[in-house]
Amino acid sequence: MNTRSVWQQALNQLVERRTDVLHVDLSRVRFVDVAGVTDLAVTAQRLPEGQRIVLDRPPPQLPRILEHFWPDLAAIEVAA
């Protein structure tokens, strides 16, 4: 909860980048709750056509939450 505003600011900055593939290194993140994954999904839905987010080494619950609530969200790719 205390890092949510930082997370949201980082995601907003990500959207401003003008590259087809946006890499996000989550290797040092231990936990992301449903609200955090929702922020990520909403950000991905705001991306222009053809742009996508690649999550590098996310915490284990993040891909499960994405698959459960946003199974067809093609703008996010999880890299192990």
Side-chain angles (χ1 to χ4, degrees):
M1 183 64 114
N2 59 356
T3 59
R4 184 149 186 226
S5 63
V6 173
W7 174 247
Q8 289 170 329
Q9 288 174 354
L11 292 173
N12 285 333
Q13 290 174 357
L14 192 66
V15 172
E16 294 172 5
R17 294 190 178 168
R18 301 293 176 224
T19 182
D20 291 342
V21 180
L22 303 162
H23 286 272
V24 179
D25 181 2
L26 296 173
S27 61
R28 297 183 65 190
V29 175
R30 291 188 172 166
F31 180 79
V32 178
D33 64 8
V34 173
V37 180
T38 298
D39 292 335
L40 178 62
V42 168
T43 298
Q45 292 168 338
R46 291 176 33 210
L47 294 175
E49 184 72 31
Q51 196 172 27
R52 64 189 167 101
I53 299 171
V54 175
L55 304 176
D56 295 315
R57 296 176 286 164
Q61 74 279 3
L62 196 153
R64 290 193 302 258
I65 295 170
L66 278 173
E67 182 61 32
H68 184 73
F69 290 104
W70 297 276
D72 299 322
L73 186 56
I76 296 179
E77 177 184 326
V78 177

